[in-house]
Amino acid sequence: MYSSINNDLKDLVDRHGEITVNCKLDELLEERGLSQKEFSKMSGLRENIISEFKNLKKHNINLGTLVIIMCVLGITDITDVLEIEFGLRNLHHMV
């Protein structure tokens, strides 16, 4: 399954240009005056998991981690946490 997803993503990038994912967790924590350690205690997520998430160290984002982050911070819009930018090449032909 993952190789299929990776191939699909590679095809998408080949057709439409680079895709950039930015995590806004640092900004969200700063706005709320929270350290990573404090957020770890609030959320029950280990600090290394939070660090990996905010620095996008893993190729895949764990949906459970994302949902916990959003719930603890009172966020309902995923774009408040993750920003995805698509290259401009043939963007109007995306399905």
Side-chain angles (χ1 to χ4, degrees):
M1 179 177 152
Y2 291 114
S3 63
S4 173
I5 292 170
N6 291 337
N7 287 336
D8 290 344
L9 185 56
K10 182 184 178 308
D11 290 343
L12 183 70
V13 171
D14 288 344
R15 284 193 318 253
H16 302 292
E18 188 172 330
I19 299 171
T20 305
V21 180
N22 299 307
C23 182
K24 302 179 191 176
L25 185 55
D26 270 339
E27 297 165 29
L28 293 168
L29 295 180
E30 187 176 322
E31 287 171 6
R32 290 161 173 77
L34 295 171
S35 69
Q36 185 172 308
K37 186 173 199 145
E38 292 168 325
F39 185 68
S40 174
K41 289 178 183 175
M42 288 174 64
S43 66
L45 296 169
R46 293 188 319 259
E47 283 188 69
N48 68 311
I49 298 296
I50 296 168
S51 178
E52 288 174 355
F53 184 90
K54 72 179 188 167
N55 295 312
L56 300 172
K57 289 186 179 179
K58 301 272 183 167
H59 182 71
N60 296 310
I61 293 173
N62 183 299
L63 183 59
T65 301
L66 175 61
V67 170
I68 290 169
I69 289 168
M70 291 177 68
C71 286
V72 171
L73 295 177
I75 295 171
T76 58
D77 187 343
I78 193 171
T79 61
D80 289 340
V81 181
L82 297 172
E83 178 181 65
I84 302 173
E85 298 173 3
F86 297 95
L88 298 177
R89 184 174 5 138
N90 299 322
L91 189 60
H92 60 280
H93 293 292
M94 287 186 72
V95 176

